[in-house]
């Protein structure tokens, strides 16, 4: 009897803690940003004399916690070892926090919506208990740290053997770029990011693989590890994530090859094999990685637009990527396909997607478009940059990508504050909105009369 009461109380306490997950997420990230801003404002955080301004510290702390990668100064030379360590810790905290909180929210929503998400070892989760929370958090942390260790090992060996870096320097560079890549942060120790490694497959492909895996999301990676041989049994989440991710990588690679093959400042000077590899890596980075192996400022207008689209879509749910998420985009594509065929239901594989999920996807996409449109208008009014540059910067900040045409440092103070808000909203917004919409669902005891209207 006592054990039953204790278990019930534990389950009730855990559920109550996630009753309003949006508030928890927003408060956690805001607190981390405040702490990071305070640490980066210290004189010891900068390599030269003086200290970073409050806005500069706030901008970089937000960019690190929200794993974006937009910077106004060079990370490798402006910040001291202490400052770089703070940025690295903020990236790690932001990445782990995103994956943990997003996965726990997905666990909560899977119970509320009755979806077989398979987020933990059990086939289906009926309720959230303290044991479930501990198991999920432990699995996310172990998976993240193990992945970063493997990536860091490969990069360290390559830096030491291929570029004659001393062991300590190679290890530091390997660890820094591994954490930044897996968490889709995009912070690098070189002012040209990965451009110097554009022809090096060991570094370029390793970083790209880290970005893709980190951006898939823990639930998808976990399910793929268990059931990669049986695609027919995949959940809707995994099926949409894998299909859309593969499609975007292929379309992005082909798009870069077509648009940039003759550009002497990007893919033009590279050999055939290197060109394909560079195009693939460049297409993987807009998943919200922030690294660039090509000069973004030298891209043709059509390539900038392609990158805008890839950044807006982003990566997988419950992962370190940003954007509206491939699941949102993929679900809307399935909705469009069902509507074009005249099907009454939206089906993915052998599962029917409830109308609530469809409305949530539509709400996230439309609100994201609205935020980007308003922010682009404001930033365009504050600066003299071209529309392409401003739109690219806004989408990059909102989608927590970190790619830039090089205008970030020249944006006025008011514009940088806007970018800070965009990074924060873009990081917590889609997840908070999705959880809030799902948890607000309630049954209605009556329905109003139906009336069709003209559409189009």
């Amino acid at each position: 009897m006592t054990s039953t009461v204790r278990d019930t109380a534990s389950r009730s306490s855990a559920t109550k803690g996630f009753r309003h997950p949006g508030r928890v997420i927003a408060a956690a990230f805001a607190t981390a940003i405040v702490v990071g801003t305070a640490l980066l404002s210290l004189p010891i955080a900068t390599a030269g004399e003086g200290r970073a301004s409050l806005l500069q510290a706030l901008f970089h702390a937000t960019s690190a916690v929200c794993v974006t990668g937009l910077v106004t100064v060079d990370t490798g030379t402006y910040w001291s070892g202490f400052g770089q360590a703070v940025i690295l810790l903020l990236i790690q905290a932001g990445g782990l926090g995103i994956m943990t909180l997003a996965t726990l929210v997905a666990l909560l929503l899977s119970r509320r919506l009755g979806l077989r998400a398979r987020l933990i070892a059990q086939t289906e989760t009926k309720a959230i208990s303290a044991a479930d929370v501990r198991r999920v958090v432990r699995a996310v942390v172990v998976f993240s740290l193990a992945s970063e260790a493997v990536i860091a090992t490969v990069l360290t060996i390559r830096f030491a053997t291929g570029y004659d870096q001393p062991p300590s320097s190679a290890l530091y560079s390997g660890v820094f770029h591994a954490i930044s890549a897996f968490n889709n942060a995009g912070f690098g120790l070189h002012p040209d990011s990965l451009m110097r490694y554009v022809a090096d497959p060991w570094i370029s492909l390793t970083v790209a693989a880290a970005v893709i895996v980190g951006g898939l999301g823990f639930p998808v990676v976990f399910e793929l590890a268990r059931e990669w041989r049986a695609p027919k049994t995949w959940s809707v989440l995994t099926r949409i994530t894998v299909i859309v991710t593969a499609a975007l990588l292929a379309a992005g690679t082909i798009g870069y090859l077509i648009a940039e093959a003759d550009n002497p400042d990007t893919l033009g000077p590279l050999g055939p094999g290197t060109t394909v590899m560079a195009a693939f890596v460049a297409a993987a980075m807009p998943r919200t990685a922030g690294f660039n192996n090509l000069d973004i400022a030298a891209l043709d207008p059509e390539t900038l637009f392609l990158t805008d689209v890839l950044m807006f879509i982003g990566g997988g749910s419950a992962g370190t990527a940003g954007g509206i998420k491939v699941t949102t985009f993929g679900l809307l594509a399935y909705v469009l396909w069902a509507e074009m065929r005249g099907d009454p239901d939206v089906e993915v594989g052998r599962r029917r997607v409830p109308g609530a999920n469809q409305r949530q996807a539509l709400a996230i996409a439309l609100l994201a478009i609205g935020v980007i449109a308003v922010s682009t208008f404001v930033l365009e009014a504050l600066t003299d940059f071209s529309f392409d540059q401003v739109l690219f910067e806004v989408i990059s900040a909102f989608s927590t990508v970190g790619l830039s045409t090089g205008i970030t440092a020249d944006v006025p103070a008011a514009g940088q504050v806007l970018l800070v808000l965009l990074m924060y909203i873009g990081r917590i917004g889609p997840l908070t909105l999705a959880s809030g919409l799902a948890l607000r669902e309630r049954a209605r005891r009556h329905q109003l009369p139906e009336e069709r209207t003209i559409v189009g």
Side-chain angles (χ1 to χ4, degrees):
M1 183 69 174
T2 303
S3 176
T4 303
V5 173
R6 186 182 299 112
D7 291 342
T8 302
S10 175
R11 187 180 300 110
S12 175
S13 176
T15 304
K16 184 180 295 184
F18 291 97
R19 185 170 296 171
H20 300 289
R23 298 177 185 176
V24 176
I25 296 170
F29 277 82
T31 301
I33 290 172
V34 171
V35 173
T37 301
L39 293 175
L40 291 179
S41 297
L42 298 175
I44 193 177
T46 55
E49 298 181 357
R51 65 175 69 190
S53 66
L54 180 61
L55 177 57
Q56 203 167 49
L58 172 64
F59 191 96
H60 288 81
T62 305
S63 184
V65 172
C66 296
V67 290
T68 303
L70 282 178
V71 296
T72 60
V73 295
D74 177 44
T75 304
T77 56
Y78 182 83
W79 302 107
S80 65
F82 174 82
Q84 293 175 20
V86 169
I87 290 175
L88 202 61
L89 289 175
L90 293 176
I91 292 173
Q92 186 71 85
L96 282 177
I98 292 163
M99 293 192 74
T100 303
L101 291 173
T103 302
L104 291 177
V105 168
L107 180 62
L108 174 63
L109 299 187
S110 70
R111 182 182 69 86
R112 289 294 298 266
L113 300 177
L115 299 179
R116 297 181 60 192
R118 300 181 184 181
L119 300 175
I120 54 178
Q122 290 83 357
T123 303
E124 184 175 7
T125 300
K126 296 296 185 182
I128 296 179
S129 67
D132 294 332
V133 174
R134 286 194 297 269
R135 183 159 47 247
V136 170
V137 172
R138 182 170 58 249
V140 171
V141 172
V142 170
F143 166 69
S144 299
L145 296 182
S147 300
E148 291 170 356
V150 173
I151 299 163
T153 301
V154 175
L155 293 179
T156 298
I157 294 174
R158 183 57 180 169
F159 285 138
T161 59
Y163 298 91
D164 296 325
Q165 292 188 15
S168 58
S169 177
L171 178 61
Y172 179 72
S173 295
V175 171
F176 191 99
H177 287 91
I179 293 176
S180 183
F182 180 78
N183 290 288
N184 279 219
F187 280 85
L189 296 176
H190 309 299
D192 62 352
S193 191
L194 297 182
M195 289 175 60
R196 65 184 63 189
Y197 306 120
V198 65
D200 190 329
W202 284 99
I203 294 180
S204 295
L205 293 180
T206 298
V207 171
V211 168
I212 294 171
V213 173
L216 284 176
F218 171 74
V220 173
V221 171
F222 190 88
E223 184 171 352
L224 288 177
R226 293 174 54 242
E227 301 183 18
W228 63 275
R229 295 182 178 179
K232 292 183 179 180
T233 66
W234 289 355
S235 64
V236 173
L237 171 66
T238 298
R239 187 180 296 271
I240 292 180
T241 301
V242 171
I243 292 175
V244 178
T245 296
L248 291 179
L249 286 173
T253 301
I254 295 173
Y256 268 87
L257 286 174
I258 294 175
E260 297 295 322
D262 296 329
N263 189 335
D265 297 321
T266 55
L267 295 180
L270 304 178
T274 304
T275 298
V276 175
M277 180 188 70
F280 171 79
V281 173
M285 293 306 142
R287 292 178 53 82
T288 74
F291 292 106
N292 62 284
N293 63 334
L294 303 176
D295 185 2
I296 301 298
L299 295 177
D300 291 330
E302 58 269 28
T303 315
L304 285 178
F305 178 72
L306 171 64
T307 308
D308 286 339
V309 174
L310 295 175
M311 291 192 299
F312 178 76
I313 297 172
S317 299
T320 55
I324 64 171
K325 302 296 189 296
V326 294
T327 44
T328 302
F329 176 79
L331 182 53
L332 291 177
Y334 275 103
V335 171
L336 178 60
W337 178 246
E339 188 65 25
M340 292 175 63
R341 296 182 58 185
D343 294 336
D345 298 318
V346 176
E347 298 176 352
V348 180
R350 298 185 178 181
R351 295 288 186 272
R352 179 171 55 86
V353 179
N357 275 165
Q358 302 171 39
R359 293 193 298 271
Q360 291 159 18
L362 183 61
I364 290 173
L366 290 180
L367 286 174
I369 292 174
V371 170
I372 290 174
V374 173
S375 301
T376 301
F377 175 82
V378 173
L379 194 60
E380 183 77 13
L382 292 174
T383 66
D384 295 325
F385 299 115
S386 68
F387 176 77
D388 287 344
Q389 292 175 308
V390 171
L391 179 63
F392 192 95
E393 196 81 6
V394 167
I395 296 178
S396 180
F398 176 80
S399 299
T400 66
V401 179
L403 295 175
S404 175
T405 56
I407 68 172
T408 311
D410 298 322
V411 172
Q416 291 186 11
V417 171
L418 174 62
L419 294 178
V420 167
L421 293 175
L422 282 172
M423 288 188 283
Y424 181 71
I425 294 172
R427 172 47 60 195
I428 69 170
L431 178 59
T432 301
L433 178 61
S435 61
L437 291 175
L439 294 177
R440 285 174 59 87
E441 285 186 29
R442 59 185 185 274
R444 299 189 64 175
R445 299 182 181 274
H446 68 279
Q447 287 184 319
L448 297 175
E450 184 180 88
E451 180 182 344
R452 290 183 178 272
T453 185
I454 298 176
V455 176

